[in-house]
Amino acid sequence: MRHAPLALVLSLLLPFTSCAHDFLNGQRVAPVGISDKGELNYQQDEFSYRAWNSAQLIGKVRVVQHIAGRSSAKEKNAALVEAIKQAHLPQDRYQTTTIINTHDAIPGTGMFVRSSIESNKKQYPWSQFIIDSNGNAKRAWQLEDGGSAVVVLDNNGRVRFAKDGALTVEETQQVVALLHQLLK
């Protein structure tokens, strides 16, 4: 009989610990704004930043990738990034939005992280790169420390797939198939 109250408490807490993120299929992502740094722009060989918020995630089918500012986090879903490159998705209707949480970077590496992001922006100017210096998106979306999350949004900004962590080969294939389906 003593264990009954403990079991009741654990059963009440279990639903809150089973899901690491708060993305709900068919819903928009929780609102988030990033004004310290924000969206990286590259024009006329110069970089600049402007405030960004999640309301801007409508209008195109997109993959939102939220990664900690660590190379280990970037590697977790590198296979998806390569699969997206190979899919040759139409830039007028698709966009990758990468949010880099530089607040969750190894101390002293911030300059290297930003340099890598700037290099990627030069190479893929149609992609969107958001620098989140304060970890606003991680907190708003309840994401894991040091992680890599992938969210597929339809052109209305509604979640169609979400995972916080490394995708399996099957999940990577599922995401690419879903993107093709959403772009029909």
Side-chain angles (χ1 to χ4, degrees), residues 64-98:
V64 177
Q65 183 177 19
H66 180 281
I67 58 175
R70 306 168 182 224
S71 53
S72 60
K74 183 179 177 182
E75 292 167 8
K76 287 182 181 180
N77 286 307
L80 176 64
V81 173
E82 286 305 313
I84 290 171
K85 288 178 195 174
Q86 298 301 315
H88 302 291
L89 301 171
Q91 295 173 17
D92 61 328
R93 295 181 293 129
Y94 170 80
Q95 187 170 42
T96 300
T97 298
T98 305

Side-chain angles (χ1 to χ4, degrees), residues 74-136:
K74 183 179 177 182
E75 292 167 8
K76 287 182 181 180
N77 286 307
L80 176 64
V81 173
E82 286 305 313
I84 290 171
K85 288 178 195 174
Q86 298 301 315
H88 302 291
L89 301 171
Q91 295 173 17
D92 61 328
R93 295 181 293 129
Y94 170 80
Q95 187 170 42
T96 300
T97 298
T98 305
I99 302 171
I100 303 94
N101 180 7
T102 57
H103 184 71
D104 190 1
I106 297 170
T109 63
M111 182 176 65
F112 301 108
V113 171
R114 277 192 288 283
S115 175
S116 174
I117 297 163
E118 289 173 356
S119 175
N120 282 330
K121 182 65 177 178
K122 281 183 184 178
Q123 190 172 2
Y124 306 104
W126 57 87
S127 292
Q128 193 174 39
F129 296 91
I130 314 300
I131 312 303
D132 187 358
S133 300
N134 295 321
N136 295 350

Side-chain angles (χ1 to χ4, degrees), residues 17-39:
T17 60
S18 63
C19 185
H21 60 74
D22 79 340
F23 302 117
L24 298 173
N25 205 27
Q27 300 295 314
R28 291 201 172 134
V29 298
V32 64
I34 300 171
S35 57
D36 182 23
K37 295 292 185 221
E39 183 175 356

